[in-house]
Amino acid sequence: MPAQFLLNLFIAFLWMVLNDEDELRFTTFFAGFLVGVAIIFVMQRFFGKQFYLHRFYRVVKLILIFISELFQSAFVVMKHIISPKIDIKPGIFTYRTALKSDWEVTTLALLLTLTPGSVVMEVSPEGDTFYIHALDIERYKNDLIRSLGRFEKAIMEVTR
């Protein structure tokens, strides 16, 4: 994939040179970059690897999923804080993950810890089980498991 990106940059610079303008313009470079994207997309089967912008799209998708989960969980925590009577039942539960590599497990743990209302307390030595503390386990455990599933799926799309 780095080879595809470097080839795309080369096509963009070549486009700038062949346009024979008096000065270098970003718009010309950007147009060349778009032409390079089109050329590499058409010729992607010759590279033997996936088109490099697919991974970029998946990373952006993971970031958007995280932002969505962050706002949803922040709203729930804020609702608990603002309410006059605090009616929560914190608890700990385990979650088995399908992620394999250290990078994937670490990313999932960090994404979950960064969302309000949940903390990954520990990861098993094998890296397949999380011990998670939830703010209100009775009401929001299913939502938390759903969020974990969304994060897992998005992480696997990025890394595999």
Side-chain angles (χ1 to χ4, degrees):
M1 287 190 218
Q4 291 178 15
F5 179 70
L6 291 175
L7 181 61
N8 198 359
L9 287 178
F10 177 73
I11 291 171
F13 282 116
L14 190 63
W15 183 268
M16 283 177 45
V17 170
L18 293 177
N19 268 329
D20 196 31
E21 294 178 343
D22 294 335
E23 57 189 42
L24 299 176
R25 294 191 179 129
F26 177 74
T27 55
T28 308
F29 176 79
F30 187 69
F33 191 81
L34 292 179
V35 168
V37 166
I39 290 171
I40 292 172
F41 181 74
V42 169
M43 298 180 63
Q44 71 179 336
R45 66 184 175 136
F46 297 112
F47 290 107
K49 291 190 177 181
Q50 180 180 16
F51 184 54
Y52 78 98
L53 287 180
H54 285 281
R55 181 164 285 180
F56 177 74
Y57 166 74
R58 290 177 180 144
V59 168
V60 170
K61 182 179 167 186
L62 176 62
I63 291 169
L64 291 176
I65 288 171
F66 170 68
I67 290 171
S68 167
E69 294 295 331
L70 177 69
F71 280 114
Q72 290 174 16
S73 61
F75 179 74
V76 168
V77 170
M78 191 177 359
K79 193 168 69 171
H80 281 296
I81 292 171
I82 292 174
S83 69
K85 182 181 175 197
I86 297 178
D87 183 26
I88 59 173
K89 296 193 176 32
I92 299 170
F93 68 98
T94 60
Y95 179 77
R96 292 191 58 86
T97 182
L99 301 176
K100 301 292 181 206
S101 73
D102 290 341
W103 188 89
E104 292 173 337
V105 170
T106 303
T107 302
L108 181 61
L110 290 174
L111 289 176
L112 186 63
T113 300
L114 287 173
T115 55
S118 59
V119 175
V120 176
M121 295 174 34
E122 189 174 350
V123 179
S124 68
E126 297 81 26
D128 63 345
T129 305
F130 289 106
Y131 298 95
I132 301 169
H133 180 273
L135 179 67
D136 194 351
I137 197 160
E138 288 182 0
R139 276 191 256 172
Y140 300 114
K141 180 180 178 183
N142 292 333
D143 293 338
L144 197 56
I145 290 173
R146 181 191 50 81
S147 296
L148 282 163
R150 287 181 68 192
F151 284 146
E152 255 186 330
K153 182 181 174 194
I155 290 169
M156 283 191 275
E157 287 178 356
V158 169
T159 59
R160 298 179 186 171

PDB file of all heavy atoms in Angstrom, residues 26-47:
ATOM      1  N   PHE A  26      -1.185  24.413  -5.898  1.00  0.00           N
ATOM      2  CA  PHE A  26      -1.747  23.281  -5.179  1.00  0.00           C
ATOM      3  C   PHE A  26      -2.897  22.654  -5.965  1.00  0.00           C
ATOM      4  O   PHE A  26      -3.077  21.448  -5.945  1.00  0.00           O
ATOM      5  CB  PHE A  26      -2.230  23.706  -3.787  1.00  0.00           C
ATOM      6  CG  PHE A  26      -2.885  22.590  -3.030  1.00  0.00           C
ATOM      7  CD1 PHE A  26      -2.121  21.568  -2.482  1.00  0.00           C
ATOM      8  CD2 PHE A  26      -4.267  22.544  -2.881  1.00  0.00           C
ATOM      9  CE1 PHE A  26      -2.716  20.524  -1.800  1.00  0.00           C
ATOM     10  CE2 PHE A  26      -4.865  21.499  -2.202  1.00  0.00           C
ATOM     11  CZ  PHE A  26      -4.097  20.497  -1.665  1.00  0.00           C
ATOM     12  N   THR A  27      -3.681  23.492  -6.652  1.00  0.00           N
ATOM     13  CA  THR A  27      -4.817  22.963  -7.411  1.00  0.00           C
ATOM     14  C   THR A  27      -4.347  22.026  -8.525  1.00  0.00           C
ATOM     15  O   THR A  27      -4.995  21.016  -8.804  1.00  0.00           O
ATOM     16  CB  THR A  27      -5.657  24.101  -8.006  1.00  0.00           C
ATOM     17  OG1 THR A  27      -4.810  24.954  -8.782  1.00  0.00           O
ATOM     18  CG2 THR A  27      -6.338  24.901  -6.907  1.00  0.00           C
ATOM     19  N   THR A  28      -3.233  22.344  -9.133  1.00  0.00           N
ATOM     20  CA  THR A  28      -2.688  21.471 -10.174  1.00  0.00           C
ATOM     21  C   THR A  28      -2.209  20.160  -9.569  1.00  0.00           C
ATOM     22  O   THR A  28      -2.450  19.078 -10.119  1.00  0.00           O
ATOM     23  CB  THR A  28      -1.519  22.158 -10.902  1.00  0.00           C
ATOM     24  OG1 THR A  28      -1.940  23.444 -11.351  1.00  0.00           O
ATOM     25  CG2 THR A  28      -1.045  21.353 -12.086  1.00  0.00           C
ATOM     26  N   PHE A  29      -1.525  20.249  -8.420  1.00  0.00           N
ATOM     27  CA  PHE A  29      -1.084  19.041  -7.733  1.00  0.00           C
ATOM     28  C   PHE A  29      -2.276  18.186  -7.330  1.00  0.00           C
ATOM     29  O   PHE A  29      -2.262  16.972  -7.501  1.00  0.00           O
ATOM     30  CB  PHE A  29      -0.241  19.406  -6.505  1.00  0.00           C
ATOM     31  CG  PHE A  29       0.162  18.213  -5.692  1.00  0.00           C
ATOM     32  CD1 PHE A  29       1.210  17.410  -6.094  1.00  0.00           C
ATOM     33  CD2 PHE A  29      -0.530  17.886  -4.536  1.00  0.00           C
ATOM     34  CE1 PHE A  29       1.584  16.297  -5.356  1.00  0.00           C
ATOM     35  CE2 PHE A  29      -0.171  16.773  -3.787  1.00  0.00           C
ATOM     36  CZ  PHE A  29       0.887  15.990  -4.208  1.00  0.00           C
ATOM     37  N   PHE A  30      -3.326  18.817  -6.800  1.00  0.00           N
ATOM     38  CA  PHE A  30      -4.496  18.082  -6.363  1.00  0.00           C
ATOM     39  C   PHE A  30      -5.201  17.409  -7.541  1.00  0.00           C
ATOM     40  O   PHE A  30      -5.658  16.270  -7.432  1.00  0.00           O
ATOM     41  CB  PHE A  30      -5.468  19.009  -5.623  1.00  0.00           C
ATOM     42  CG  PHE A  30      -6.619  18.303  -4.988  1.00  0.00           C
ATOM     43  CD1 PHE A  30      -6.420  17.471  -3.905  1.00  0.00           C
ATOM     44  CD2 PHE A  30      -7.910  18.452  -5.490  1.00  0.00           C
ATOM     45  CE1 PHE A  30      -7.479  16.804  -3.309  1.00  0.00           C
ATOM     46  CE2 PHE A  30      -8.964  17.780  -4.908  1.00  0.00           C
ATOM     47  CZ  PHE A  30      -8.759  16.960  -3.816  1.00  0.00           C
ATOM     48  N   ALA A  31      -5.280  18.109  -8.670  1.00  0.00           N
ATOM     49  CA  ALA A  31      -5.868  17.504  -9.862  1.00  0.00           C
ATOM     50  C   ALA A  31      -5.037  16.293 -10.303  1.00  0.00           C
ATOM     51  O   ALA A  31      -5.586  15.249 -10.678  1.00  0.00           O
ATOM     52  CB  ALA A  31      -5.958  18.532 -10.985  1.00  0.00           C
ATOM     53  N   GLY A  32      -3.722  16.413 -10.261  1.00  0.00           N
ATOM     54  CA  GLY A  32      -2.850  15.286 -10.592  1.00  0.00           C
ATOM     55  C   GLY A  32      -3.009  14.145  -9.616  1.00  0.00           C
ATOM     56  O   GLY A  32      -2.955  12.970  -9.995  1.00  0.00           O
ATOM     57  N   PHE A  33      -3.218  14.486  -8.343  1.00  0.00           N
ATOM     58  CA  PHE A  33      -3.428  13.452  -7.338  1.00  0.00           C
ATOM     59  C   PHE A  33      -4.717  12.677  -7.626  1.00  0.00           C
ATOM     60  O   PHE A  33      -4.754  11.457  -7.531  1.00  0.00           O
ATOM     61  CB  PHE A  33      -3.474  14.078  -5.938  1.00  0.00           C
ATOM     62  CG  PHE A  33      -3.430  13.081  -4.827  1.00  0.00           C
ATOM     63  CD1 PHE A  33      -2.233  12.534  -4.420  1.00  0.00           C
ATOM     64  CD2 PHE A  33      -4.597  12.675  -4.190  1.00  0.00           C
ATOM     65  CE1 PHE A  33      -2.181  11.603  -3.400  1.00  0.00           C
ATOM     66  CE2 PHE A  33      -4.557  11.754  -3.173  1.00  0.00           C
ATOM     67  CZ  PHE A  33      -3.349  11.209  -2.770  1.00  0.00           C
ATOM     68  N   LEU A  34      -5.778  13.399  -7.998  1.00  0.00           N
ATOM     69  CA  LEU A  34      -7.035  12.741  -8.334  1.00  0.00           C
ATOM     70  C   LEU A  34      -6.900  11.870  -9.583  1.00  0.00           C
ATOM     71  O   LEU A  34      -7.468  10.776  -9.652  1.00  0.00           O
ATOM     72  CB  LEU A  34      -8.147  13.767  -8.517  1.00  0.00           C
ATOM     73  CG  LEU A  34      -8.584  14.502  -7.250  1.00  0.00           C
ATOM     74  CD1 LEU A  34      -9.673  15.515  -7.576  1.00  0.00           C
ATOM     75  CD2 LEU A  34      -9.068  13.527  -6.199  1.00  0.00           C
ATOM     76  N   VAL A  35      -6.138  12.350 -10.571  1.00  0.00           N
ATOM     77  CA  VAL A  35      -5.880  11.538 -11.757  1.00  0.00           C
ATOM     78  C   VAL A  35      -5.114  10.275 -11.350  1.00  0.00           C
ATOM     79  O   VAL A  35      -5.401   9.172 -11.826  1.00  0.00           O
ATOM     80  CB  VAL A  35      -5.111  12.346 -12.822  1.00  0.00           C
ATOM     81  CG1 VAL A  35      -4.576  11.454 -13.931  1.00  0.00           C
ATOM     82  CG2 VAL A  35      -5.998  13.431 -13.400  1.00  0.00           C
ATOM     83  N   GLY A  36      -4.149  10.428 -10.449  1.00  0.00           N
ATOM     84  CA  GLY A  36      -3.388   9.284  -9.955  1.00  0.00           C
ATOM     85  C   GLY A  36      -4.261   8.287  -9.213  1.00  0.00           C
ATOM     86  O   GLY A  36      -4.094   7.076  -9.364  1.00  0.00           O
ATOM     87  N   VAL A  37      -5.198   8.779  -8.420  1.00  0.00           N
ATOM     88  CA  VAL A  37      -6.127   7.888  -7.716  1.00  0.00           C
ATOM     89  C   VAL A  37      -6.921   7.073  -8.730  1.00  0.00           C
ATOM     90  O   VAL A  37      -7.081   5.854  -8.585  1.00  0.00           O
ATOM     91  CB  VAL A  37      -7.071   8.691  -6.785  1.00  0.00           C
ATOM     92  CG1 VAL A  37      -8.249   7.850  -6.328  1.00  0.00           C
ATOM     93  CG2 VAL A  37      -6.319   9.228  -5.589  1.00  0.00           C
ATOM     94  N   ALA A  38      -7.404   7.735  -9.766  1.00  0.00           N
ATOM     95  CA  ALA A  38      -8.184   7.031 -10.790  1.00  0.00           C
ATOM     96  C   ALA A  38      -7.325   5.984 -11.507  1.00  0.00           C
ATOM     97  O   ALA A  38      -7.775   4.849 -11.731  1.00  0.00           O
ATOM     98  CB  ALA A  38      -8.756   8.024 -11.789  1.00  0.00           C
ATOM     99  N   ILE A  39      -6.104   6.345 -11.859  1.00  0.00           N
ATOM    100  CA  ILE A  39      -5.219   5.408 -12.566  1.00  0.00           C
ATOM    101  C   ILE A  39      -4.902   4.202 -11.681  1.00  0.00           C
ATOM    102  O   ILE A  39      -4.967   3.059 -12.127  1.00  0.00           O
ATOM    103  CB  ILE A  39      -3.926   6.121 -13.008  1.00  0.00           C
ATOM    104  CG1 ILE A  39      -4.229   7.112 -14.128  1.00  0.00           C
ATOM    105  CG2 ILE A  39      -2.866   5.115 -13.453  1.00  0.00           C
ATOM    106  CD1 ILE A  39      -3.063   8.018 -14.478  1.00  0.00           C
ATOM    107  N   ILE A  40      -4.567   4.451 -10.432  1.00  0.00           N
ATOM    108  CA  ILE A  40      -4.220   3.349  -9.526  1.00  0.00           C
ATOM    109  C   ILE A  40      -5.439   2.483  -9.234  1.00  0.00           C
ATOM    110  O   ILE A  40      -5.332   1.258  -9.138  1.00  0.00           O
ATOM    111  CB  ILE A  40      -3.579   3.895  -8.236  1.00  0.00           C
ATOM    112  CG1 ILE A  40      -2.216   4.486  -8.575  1.00  0.00           C
ATOM    113  CG2 ILE A  40      -3.439   2.806  -7.183  1.00  0.00           C
ATOM    114  CD1 ILE A  40      -1.556   5.214  -7.453  1.00  0.00           C
ATOM    115  N   PHE A  41      -6.615   3.098  -9.145  1.00  0.00           N
ATOM    116  CA  PHE A  41      -7.822   2.309  -8.914  1.00  0.00           C
ATOM    117  C   PHE A  41      -8.096   1.372 -10.088  1.00  0.00           C
ATOM    118  O   PHE A  41      -8.463   0.214  -9.897  1.00  0.00           O
ATOM    119  CB  PHE A  41      -9.028   3.221  -8.682  1.00  0.00           C
ATOM    120  CG  PHE A  41     -10.298   2.471  -8.403  1.00  0.00           C
ATOM    121  CD1 PHE A  41     -10.489   1.859  -7.179  1.00  0.00           C
ATOM    122  CD2 PHE A  41     -11.285   2.374  -9.365  1.00  0.00           C
ATOM    123  CE1 PHE A  41     -11.653   1.162  -6.913  1.00  0.00           C
ATOM    124  CE2 PHE A  41     -12.452   1.673  -9.112  1.00  0.00           C
ATOM    125  CZ  PHE A  41     -12.637   1.070  -7.890  1.00  0.00           C
ATOM    126  N   VAL A  42      -7.910   1.872 -11.305  1.00  0.00           N
ATOM    127  CA  VAL A  42      -8.131   1.039 -12.483  1.00  0.00           C
ATOM    128  C   VAL A  42      -7.096  -0.080 -12.563  1.00  0.00           C
ATOM    129  O   VAL A  42      -7.390  -1.200 -12.967  1.00  0.00           O
ATOM    130  CB  VAL A  42      -8.114   1.903 -13.765  1.00  0.00           C
ATOM    131  CG1 VAL A  42      -8.066   1.049 -15.015  1.00  0.00           C
ATOM    132  CG2 VAL A  42      -9.317   2.826 -13.792  1.00  0.00           C
ATOM    133  N   MET A  43      -5.865   0.197 -12.127  1.00  0.00           N
ATOM    134  CA  MET A  43      -4.776  -0.778 -12.241  1.00  0.00           C
ATOM    135  C   MET A  43      -4.517  -1.552 -10.946  1.00  0.00           C
ATOM    136  O   MET A  43      -3.496  -2.220 -10.838  1.00  0.00           O
ATOM    137  CB  MET A  43      -3.502  -0.047 -12.665  1.00  0.00           C
ATOM    138  CG  MET A  43      -3.627   0.622 -14.018  1.00  0.00           C
ATOM    139  SD  MET A  43      -2.130   1.451 -14.490  1.00  0.00           S
ATOM    140  CE  MET A  43      -1.022   0.093 -14.595  1.00  0.00           C
ATOM    141  N   GLN A  44      -5.431  -1.504  -9.991  1.00  0.00           N
ATOM    142  CA  GLN A  44      -5.181  -2.114  -8.678  1.00  0.00           C
ATOM    143  C   GLN A  44      -4.979  -3.623  -8.739  1.00  0.00           C
ATOM    144  O   GLN A  44      -4.285  -4.189  -7.920  1.00  0.00           O
ATOM    145  CB  GLN A  44      -6.296  -1.776  -7.710  1.00  0.00           C
ATOM    146  CG  GLN A  44      -7.613  -2.447  -7.991  1.00  0.00           C
ATOM    147  CD  GLN A  44      -8.653  -2.069  -6.962  1.00  0.00           C
ATOM    148  OE1 GLN A  44      -8.335  -1.690  -5.848  1.00  0.00           O
ATOM    149  NE2 GLN A  44      -9.909  -2.174  -7.349  1.00  0.00           N
ATOM    150  N   ARG A  45      -5.551  -4.289  -9.724  1.00  0.00           N
ATOM    151  CA  ARG A  45      -5.377  -5.745  -9.793  1.00  0.00           C
ATOM    152  C   ARG A  45      -3.944  -6.141 -10.109  1.00  0.00           C
ATOM    153  O   ARG A  45      -3.529  -7.260  -9.843  1.00  0.00           O
ATOM    154  CB  ARG A  45      -6.338  -6.358 -10.796  1.00  0.00           C
ATOM    155  CG  ARG A  45      -6.059  -5.935 -12.219  1.00  0.00           C
ATOM    156  CD  ARG A  45      -7.115  -6.514 -13.136  1.00  0.00           C
ATOM    157  NE  ARG A  45      -6.906  -6.002 -14.471  1.00  0.00           N
ATOM    158  CZ  ARG A  45      -6.963  -6.725 -15.548  1.00  0.00           C
ATOM    159  NH1 ARG A  45      -7.245  -8.004 -15.455  1.00  0.00           N
ATOM    160  NH2 ARG A  45      -6.764  -6.184 -16.716  1.00  0.00           N
ATOM    161  N   PHE A  46      -3.155  -5.225 -10.668  1.00  0.00           N
ATOM    162  CA  PHE A  46      -1.763  -5.525 -10.986  1.00  0.00           C
ATOM    163  C   PHE A  46      -0.848  -5.409  -9.769  1.00  0.00           C
ATOM    164  O   PHE A  46       0.281  -5.884  -9.796  1.00  0.00           O
ATOM    165  CB  PHE A  46      -1.249  -4.615 -12.105  1.00  0.00           C
ATOM    166  CG  PHE A  46      -1.980  -4.798 -13.399  1.00  0.00           C
ATOM    167  CD1 PHE A  46      -2.787  -3.795 -13.902  1.00  0.00           C
ATOM    168  CD2 PHE A  46      -1.886  -5.991 -14.105  1.00  0.00           C
ATOM    169  CE1 PHE A  46      -3.475  -3.969 -15.091  1.00  0.00           C
ATOM    170  CE2 PHE A  46      -2.561  -6.175 -15.295  1.00  0.00           C
ATOM    171  CZ  PHE A  46      -3.364  -5.163 -15.788  1.00  0.00           C
ATOM    172  N   PHE A  47      -1.324  -4.757  -8.723  1.00  0.00           N
ATOM    173  CA  PHE A  47      -0.518  -4.592  -7.517  1.00  0.00           C
ATOM    174  C   PHE A  47      -0.572  -5.809  -6.610  1.00  0.00           C
ATOM    175  O   PHE A  47       0.313  -6.007  -5.793  1.00  0.00           O
ATOM    176  CB  PHE A  47      -0.963  -3.353  -6.728  1.00  0.00           C
ATOM    177  CG  PHE A  47      -0.625  -2.064  -7.413  1.00  0.00           C
ATOM    178  CD1 PHE A  47      -1.608  -1.297  -8.003  1.00  0.00           C
ATOM    179  CD2 PHE A  47       0.684  -1.626  -7.470  1.00  0.00           C
ATOM    180  CE1 PHE A  47      -1.300  -0.108  -8.626  1.00  0.00           C
ATOM    181  CE2 PHE A  47       1.004  -0.438  -8.098  1.00  0.00           C
ATOM    182  CZ  PHE A  47       0.005   0.326  -8.682  1.00  0.00           C
TER     183      PHE A  47
END
